[in-house]
Amino acid sequence: MLLQSLPSLILILGVVVAVPAKEKRVHRHSDLSDHAHDDSTGFHYDHEAFLGKEEAKTFDQLTPEESKDKLGKIVDRIDTDKDGFVSHGELHQWIKHRQRRYIEENVLKHWKEYDQNKDGKIGWEEYKNTTYGYYLDEEFDDVDDKASYKAMLTRDERRFRTADRDGDGIATKDEFTAFLHPEEYDHMKAVVIQETVEDIDKNGDGKITLDEYIGDMFTPENGESEPDWVLTEKKHFTEIRDTNKDGFLDNHEVAQWILPGEIDHTDNEAKHLIHETDTDKDGRLSLSEVMDKVDFLKSSTLTDYGDGETYLTVFTV
């Protein structure tokens, strides 16, 4: 079990996974991983949650000795009271720390890219010209899907204006963070919900039908039968998500689905990792328990994690 949870651990420290569409919609404040949290199919989620998205990418490049050395340093940093064990509280705080660090690094990366005049601010025109400049001159005439690009521009402007709380057309660092990570800010939640509905609502009636809900997750190819998880999602739609039982998901129901704010996923992941890795069941992790799962952790990182932008470095030295 430790083996299985170490990847979870490493995931927390550097998580990334090929996440099914059904999981991508849920905005869990600073996602621990972009992978689905399903231990039956792998432990990528836990791996990234423990190590962090970026850090998890490097573990498959280390020798067994290097992996153990790195994990040892990480465990030592997590063990803040230096009692030789990682408690639930210490792991919880570590994961939250890695989440915050990922957001800060992500914002800084884009800040340097968009603050063209280096004045410490990013105006809407500055962002728009950097992102769409060439296409704006051509009115998107040379783009195959002209309508989609125009819709992207409209969406970006709406999100930017909402993040720009003082309405001066210029984003401070905090406002730009709200623009890039709207799920982290209460005043941005309506935008997150609206964007989700627009993505899934194919007939434009402002509501999500069961077919639209499933279509966003799964499209059968060549007579392919529906996997079991699709049947489960259909049941979730009718029995859980559609609370007023009118056959549609409205904005309020979508909010309950994608912004489960009352759930502390960081805390849940910390509990899950300890449960899976704590072989002596004393409620805490020793260095030896973590080390016992190094091979399993490393094997989980051999998976293709995609473009790397989805890693959340929770486990970084």
Side-chain angles (χ1 to χ4, degrees):
M1 293 300 289
L2 215 200
L3 249 167
Q4 298 175 331
S5 67
L6 222 193
S8 297
L9 233 49
I10 288 196
L11 229 75
I12 283 184
L13 305 180
V15 191
V16 162
V17 216
V19 65
K22 63 192 179 86
E23 288 293 328
K24 290 180 180 177
R25 292 293 175 194
V26 182
H27 293 265
R28 302 184 175 108
H29 300 279
S30 309
D31 282 345
L32 302 179
S33 171
D34 291 307
H35 292 287
H37 197 178
D38 183 356
D39 289 353
S40 67
T41 60
F43 298 90
H44 306 296
Y45 183 98
D46 303 300
H47 179 70
E48 290 184 3
F50 190 67
L51 294 175
K53 290 185 176 182
E54 292 297 333
E55 192 70 12
K57 294 187 297 182
T58 67
F59 259 72
D60 63 329
Q61 301 169 0
L62 302 178
T63 65
E65 293 73 21
E66 290 172 332
S67 295
K68 289 185 177 182
D69 181 62
K70 196 174 188 80
L71 277 177
K73 292 177 180 178
I74 291 171
V75 169
D76 184 62
R77 289 189 61 190
I78 298 174
D79 177 22
T80 55
D81 64 8
K82 303 307 176 186
D83 66 350
F85 297 92
V86 173
S87 67
H88 165 263
E90 288 171 331
L91 186 54
H92 184 200
Q93 289 303 311
W94 174 259
I95 297 171
K96 290 176 67 175
H97 161 70
R98 293 310 307 152
Q99 289 177 314
R100 290 192 298 270
R101 178 168 171 176
Y102 168 72
I103 289 178
E104 291 169 359
E105 292 176 346
N106 180 256
V107 170
L108 179 60
K109 171 185 174 182
H110 290 292
W111 186 269
K112 292 178 178 178
E113 178 183 357
Y114 289 110
D115 183 15
Q116 294 292 299
N117 60 9
K118 308 304 177 186
D119 65 349
K121 301 175 183 178
I122 297 177
W124 164 245
E125 293 298 324
E126 197 171 16
Y127 174 85
K128 180 179 68 174
N129 291 334
T130 302
T131 306
Y132 299 98
Y134 172 76
Y135 296 108
L136 287 175
D137 292 339
E138 302 296 328
E139 281 299 313
F140 300 99
D141 287 336
D142 60 345
V143 177
D144 291 337
D145 192 350
K146 189 174 181 178
S148 292
Y149 272 83
K150 287 188 174 182
M152 286 167 57
L153 174 59
T154 298
R155 174 179 293 199
D156 273 355
E157 182 170 12
R158 180 180 61 204
R159 188 192 282 199
F160 191 97
R161 301 298 184 194
T162 305
D164 176 25
R165 302 206 73 179
D166 59 9
D168 64 355
I170 298 173
T172 63
K173 185 68 70 68
D174 186 62
E175 289 171 335
F176 192 61
T177 302
F179 172 70
L180 293 179
H181 298 276
E183 71 281 355
E184 296 296 309
Y185 293 79
D186 287 342
H187 70 281
M188 298 295 293
K189 288 183 178 179
V191 170
V192 174
I193 295 166
Q194 185 174 1
E195 289 180 358
T196 301
V197 172
E198 289 173 349
D199 284 344
I200 305 176
D201 173 28
K202 301 307 180 184
N203 64 10
D205 65 354
K207 299 178 291 185
I208 298 174
T209 66
L210 174 59
D211 287 342
E212 290 170 335
Y213 176 81
I214 296 300
D216 183 59
M217 309 176 188
F218 175 75
T219 301
E221 297 180 1
N222 301 322
E224 177 185 6
S225 60
E226 291 184 343
D228 290 342
W229 69 260
V230 171
L231 300 177
T232 299
E233 282 298 327
K234 287 183 175 181
K235 186 174 182 180
H236 285 173
F237 181 97
T238 57
E239 297 183 5
I240 301 174
R241 312 223 188 280
D242 180 18
T243 57
N244 63 8
K245 308 305 177 187
D246 65 351
F248 303 93
L249 297 188
D250 57 27
N251 280 20
H252 176 72
E253 290 165 329
V254 169
Q256 296 303 306
W257 165 34
I258 68 170
L259 295 170
E262 74 285 354
I263 300 174
D264 187 342
H265 292 277
T266 302
D267 182 62
N268 288 344
E269 181 60 22
K271 291 176 180 176
H272 172 69
L273 287 174
I274 289 179
H275 175 74
E276 295 295 337
T277 309
D278 177 24
T279 53
D280 63 10
K281 303 306 176 185
D282 64 352
R284 57 188 183 174
L285 302 182
S286 65
L287 178 60
S288 62
E289 286 175 321
V290 173
M291 290 303 179
D292 283 346
K293 303 309 174 182
V294 170
D295 290 340
F296 180 77
L297 256 179
K298 279 203 66 176
S299 67
S300 73
T301 66
L302 297 177
T303 301
D304 179 9
Y305 293 131
D307 61 10
E309 292 301 318
T310 53
Y311 285 86
L312 192 160
T313 321
V314 177
F315 234 134
T316 299
V317 180

